[in-house]
Amino acid sequence: MSRSCPKGPEHGSRRLRWLAPMMLAAGIGLGLGVSSVEGQMPKHRLDVVFPPGGTRGEAVEVRLGGAEMESASGLWFDHPGITTERVEGDASPPRFRVTIGPEVPLGLHDVRVVGPLGVSNPKAFVVGQRPEGIEQEPNNGPAEAGGMTVGQVVNGQIDGATDVDWFAFEGKADQRVLIDLAAVRIDSRLDGEVRLYDAEGRELAYGHGTVGRDPLIDTVLPGDGTYRVEVRDVIYAGSPQHVYRLTVHEGPHVDAVVPSAVDAGATVEVTLLGRNLGGEPSGTVLPDGQSLERLTVSVTVPPELQIDPDRPGVGLDASPGGGTAGFWHVHETDRGAADPVFLAEAMGPVVVEEGPSDHDDPMVIAPPIDLSGDFREVDDEDVYRFEATKGQVWMIEVWADRIGSPVDATLLVQRVMGDGSLRDILEGDDQGDPGTGNRFGTGTVDPVVRFEAPEDGTYVITVGDLYNAREVDPTAVYRLVVRPQQPDYRLFVAPNDPGNPEGLTLWSGGRSVAYVLAHRFDGMAGPIRVEAEGLPAGVSSDPVVIAANQVQAPMIFSASAGAPPKLGTVRLVGRRLGADGEPVDEPPRVAVAGTITRPPPGGNAPTPARVTRGLVMALRPEAATRLSVVPNAVTVPQGGSFELTARISRSEGVQGEFPITPDALPNNLAIANTKIEAEKDAVAVPVTVAENVEPGVYTIFLRAGGKATVPDPRNPEATMEANLSEPSNPIILTVRPKEQ
């Protein structure tokens, strides 16, 4: 199950790490080291890391697949306790040894490729505590099943549409084992399914879509003997990117935690619900016939739960729930550690669902509250009763999709009439994507409503599951939050290219772009000023404004000529602007970094995206071109016009014309494309502001595109033909109302 929100082990409070490139070690290729699209400026693109994890306190040799792996010179990990060194030899791409320090937190970490082409997109790398192995082919049938032991992790790939992997282990009678296949949880393309067979080939159990889309089998073995596990893709897909981690173990597995919200700095008792916890039966029998256990543990909550990009979490945070404050808890036992579970910062007094809480006996609540509930029973529907006075306003929302729950929640608010009947007041619906979906979608099926009591009286909230699950599901949990209305926002920062996962690479003497995205809620509509902190010497970035009612703005980074190569994380912070145009006196919001994990799918399916561990920037020499635009600030009325001058500077040997195109324009504003001729270095760009452009402050920029012969960053002695796309400096456009 995907979990929400990054928080976790200390990196040092607000610490920015800048490294010289050769202090890093790198990864290797899986036969996917194809070159980038011909004619484009090449980039390192990481498609897969294999094996996708290792044991804490040990070392593992890894290989990488993607584009431009042959020239990789290093790896960036999100924790300084993970180090790498190149394995000697002539392998292409080169192989690298990853050493995981004993202090590295268990769970997911980000890894990126570093090289002369900059820094790549991230992939997940798992730090575990069990012995690890690697699948050995051929293992395509039960007679060829690879050996493994209970308590071991095997890393494998479904490498082709017909590939099926088999493994065998020795089991004991009455032994309760969990067969866990991690794939989607680790950025894999595999939609896996597993089957368990006895020595005679009889199918004993099947798993698919148990932990999110990943399978989990929970079974008690019928006798001593050899058991076999079959792994395949549910639609018979396969590629080197279809990686997995298969674990057969007797250790703990946590399906849910109650409550799922806690107060910062408190020491609280929470109840873990799961398997092999060493607790007591919960009374819930699962579809596979096994009993769900519960175990109450004491947890000390960190005093600071707000987002800090330099304290990464150790779980995978899908974009709909990204940016929620909280922390990750890992339940460790002498039989292993469970996957991390996320505990959110409470948005009101913490309450746990009690009793039947149905229409015949609704649970009485007193807002504000942060209530943890569940739908572990078939056809469950929960009803809550509360009192309200006329004109009182509450925001009522259900958190399910945003915390990785399979629940597609319904929300209905009704008034209890004098005769006991119920009158519908309002109904909640899905929260659509605000317009950032191609880079980092935050749309969710969770309902959120603004409730204003029409009269003094008694009201009920009914929470249901749209699909009314027909079997018990221990992960079908939710949070019902009833809180005061408080206009606010969350900030995210995502790579420039909405069509491909990528890193942020800046060439000295040039510019690079990332997009800062605003998720507004509770009616917050005003402008937001965003600026960068902790930039290295030689790098600058002008503050930008996300205009009123807008959801994104470009963040342009500029490097001075000759700035030395560096690698590290950048911190972006935002502040609301008041009516006077000055920042509001309140704590700033830190932008959470995120990225799509693969190119957008076809049709209307959302692009998979997740939170990453910081906005990582690589500074490399040397930019082929630099585009500058003046003026860099313009004020114009609706229906007015102005002129920009775009000027290009070319490095030695760079020739040809450069088409100039606008980017990041507000709605209803269009700028005609122009070009700088081959023998010239500037062009005038006329701009007309339509009368229906909304007044406000906007950040726009221009791009210079064109094919040129440039030095090849992979080989200083060679040149290459490349299509360039150089962003200009930002232009602050202020549109004022049309003069009457």
Side-chain angles (χ1 to χ4, degrees):
M1 173 193 320
S2 62
R3 313 283 182 181
S4 64
C5 299
K7 196 73 179 177
E10 286 284 355
H11 265 219
S13 178
R14 300 189 176 184
R15 183 157 64 95
L16 300 176
R17 294 185 291 128
W18 288 95
L19 306 175
M22 298 312 293
M23 293 173 64
L24 306 166
I28 46 186
L30 295 172
L32 293 181
V34 296
S35 63
S36 59
V37 179
E38 184 176 358
Q40 297 293 320
M41 192 67 181
K43 299 179 180 180
H44 299 299
R45 188 192 70 241
L46 181 57
D47 291 332
V48 60
V49 55
F50 190 83
T55 305
R56 182 167 63 181
E58 298 184 6
V60 59
E61 187 175 304
V62 300
R63 50 196 176 99
L64 308 176
E68 301 296 342
M69 294 294 102
E70 289 81 0
S71 59
S73 63
L75 285 183
W76 182 92
F77 279 97
D78 66 12
H79 194 282
I82 306 176
T83 59
T84 60
E85 61 181 350
R86 181 167 180 163
V87 176
E88 294 298 329
D90 57 0
S92 180
R95 296 176 178 269
F96 287 81
R97 183 179 178 86
V98 176
T99 302
I100 306 168
E103 78 286 2
V104 177
L106 300 174
L108 293 175
H109 295 268
D110 272 353
V111 56
R112 297 173 185 257
V113 167
V114 181
L117 303 175
V119 62
S120 78
N121 59 292
K123 282 294 181 181
F125 185 86
V126 183
V127 173
Q129 62 178 182
R130 295 186 173 97
E132 305 232 352
I134 295 178
E135 167 206 5
Q136 300 295 321
E137 293 281 0
N139 63 340
N140 301 317
E144 302 173 319
M148 65 180 301
T149 60
V150 175
Q152 182 187 18
V153 180
V154 174
N155 298 278
Q157 295 168 284
I158 299 299
D159 192 1
T162 61
D163 192 14
V164 179
D165 292 343
W166 286 78
F167 301 92
F169 67 92
E170 297 299 317
K172 301 292 184 181
D174 299 324
Q175 185 179 19
R176 185 176 183 179
V177 297
L178 304 181
I179 302 171
D180 187 357
L181 186 80
V184 176
R185 284 172 281 172
I186 58 171
D187 290 343
S188 172
R189 288 183 176 269
L190 176 65
D191 188 357
E193 61 179 6
V194 294
R195 288 178 170 85
L196 175 66
Y197 299 88
D198 65 13
E200 285 69 44
R202 292 185 291 264
E203 183 175 327
L204 302 178
Y206 170 79
H208 175 252
T210 317
V211 184
R213 286 171 52 192
D214 288 342
L216 174 74
I217 288 176
D218 177 3
T219 190
V220 175
L221 302 179
D224 295 355
T226 300
Y227 294 86
R228 291 179 174 83
V229 179
E230 178 190 26
V231 178
R232 67 169 73 219
D233 186 90
V234 71
I235 61 170
Y236 295 92
S239 76
Q241 298 181 47
H242 286 63
V243 299
Y244 62 83
R245 287 168 59 85
L246 175 68
T247 310
V248 179
H249 68 93
E250 300 175 282
H253 176 86
V254 176
D255 291 280
V257 57
V258 179
S260 54
V262 293
D263 293 318
T267 297
V268 298
E269 288 192 343
V270 299
T271 299
L272 306 178
L273 299 169
R275 306 77 169 334
N276 288 347
L277 299 178
E280 60 182 5
S282 68
T284 298
V285 178
L286 302 171
D288 53 23
Q290 302 305 316
S291 174
L292 189 70
E293 297 178 10
R294 65 184 176 206
L295 177 67
T296 299
V297 298
S298 179
V299 175
T300 299
V301 183
E304 174 57 60
L305 294 181
Q306 294 303 311
I307 300 302
D308 187 340
D310 291 314
R311 292 193 296 179
V314 289
L316 192 152
D317 312 314
S319 58
T324 308
F327 78 108
W328 293 91
H329 173 69
V330 178
H331 180 60
E332 297 188 54
T333 72
D334 57 2
R335 290 172 290 116
D339 281 353
V341 292
F342 184 75
L343 290 166
E345 183 175 32
M347 304 173 75
V350 176
V351 178
V352 176
E353 177 191 2
E354 298 175 352
S357 58
D358 56 23
H359 283 285
D360 294 329
D361 188 12
M363 178 178 170
V364 177
I365 61 174
I369 61 165
D370 192 322
L371 183 148
S372 295
D374 67 76
F375 294 128
R376 283 195 297 275
E377 302 300 325
V378 175
D379 291 331
D380 196 4
E381 189 176 64
D382 295 336
V383 184
Y384 304 98
R385 183 182 180 113
F386 68 102
E387 302 294 324
T389 58
K390 183 177 180 178
Q392 192 172 31
V393 175
W394 294 111
M395 298 300 298
I396 305 174
E397 59 181 314
V398 178
W399 289 70
D401 177 38
R402 290 172 290 174
I403 59 174
S405 170
V407 170
D408 188 346
T410 61
L411 176 64
L412 176 65
V413 181
Q414 298 168 298
R415 182 183 174 195
V416 180
M417 307 306 292
D419 60 1
S421 63
L422 299 176
R423 176 183 296 174
D424 291 356
I425 301 297
L426 54 84
E427 189 171 2
D429 201 356
D430 301 351
Q431 300 300 296
D433 185 82
T436 62
N438 58 350
R439 288 188 172 90
F440 191 79
T442 54
T444 175
V445 297
D446 290 344
V448 181
V449 298
R450 180 185 182 274
F451 166 74
E452 182 174 351
E455 300 290 343
D456 293 356
T458 302
Y459 297 84
V460 295
I461 301 170
T462 302
V463 182
D465 185 352
L466 183 63
Y467 298 106
N468 289 317
R470 296 299 175 184
E471 63 180 28
V472 175
D473 184 351
T475 68
V477 297
Y478 66 87
R479 291 168 58 201
L480 172 64
V481 176
V482 184
R483 57 176 176 81
Q485 183 175 2
Q486 184 177 354
D488 209 339
Y489 64 99
R490 295 190 182 99
L491 287 180
F492 303 93
V493 58
N496 168 56
D497 188 349
N500 286 291
E502 63 174 356
L504 180 61
T505 298
L506 177 62
W507 303 90
S508 64
R511 296 187 177 94
S512 188
V513 182
Y515 271 79
V516 60
L517 317 172
H519 179 199
R520 304 169 182 269
F521 49 92
D522 289 12
M524 192 274 171
I528 305 166
R529 183 179 186 269
V530 183
E531 59 185 329
E533 295 180 346
L535 292 174
V539 176
S540 61
S541 181
D542 292 335
V544 301
V545 174
I546 304 176
N549 297 309
Q550 300 296 304
V551 297
Q552 59 185 4
M555 198 79 189
I556 299 176
F557 299 92
S558 180
S560 60
K566 290 184 180 179
L567 179 71
T569 56
V570 175
R571 183 183 180 94
L572 304 182
V573 297
R575 294 172 175 84
R576 285 190 283 194
L577 297 181
D580 59 357
E582 295 300 317
V584 175
D585 184 17
E586 64 181 11
R589 301 289 188 271
V590 179
V592 175
T595 185
I596 60 175
T597 57
R598 64 186 66 140
N604 296 320
T607 304
R610 70 169 176 86
V611 169
T612 64
R613 275 59 159 169
L615 176 61
V616 180
M617 174 191 290
L619 179 58
R620 293 288 182 267
E622 146 188 16
T625 59
R626 184 179 179 92
L627 179 66
S628 299
V629 177
V630 293
N632 61 8
V634 179
T635 299
V636 63
Q638 292 171 303
S641 62
F642 61 95
E643 186 175 271
L644 300 172
T645 299
R647 185 175 301 277
I648 194 89
S649 60
R650 303 173 174 89
S651 298
E652 184 178 353
V654 177
Q655 299 179 351
E657 66 180 24
F658 282 88
I660 304 299
T661 57
D663 209 331
L665 300 181
N667 294 335
N668 303 315
L669 177 63
I671 301 177
N673 295 343
T674 55
K675 66 179 178 180
I676 299 176
E677 303 287 350
E679 67 279 6
K680 297 182 179 180
D681 61 5
V683 68
V685 182
V687 181
T688 299
V689 178
E691 293 187 0
N692 59 349
V693 174
E694 183 176 350
V697 180
Y698 302 91
T699 302
I700 66 174
F701 68 102
L702 305 182
R703 285 186 183 273
K707 181 173 288 188
T709 299
V710 300
D712 189 337
R714 300 158 298 188
N715 181 1
E717 306 300 321
T719 60
M720 61 174 289
E721 290 290 320
N723 283 329
L724 304 179
S725 180
E726 172 71 9
S728 74
N729 52 287
I731 304 149
I732 304 301
L733 171 62
T734 302
V735 178
R736 52 183 171 82
K738 182 180 180 180
E739 297 177 356
Q740 301 300 321

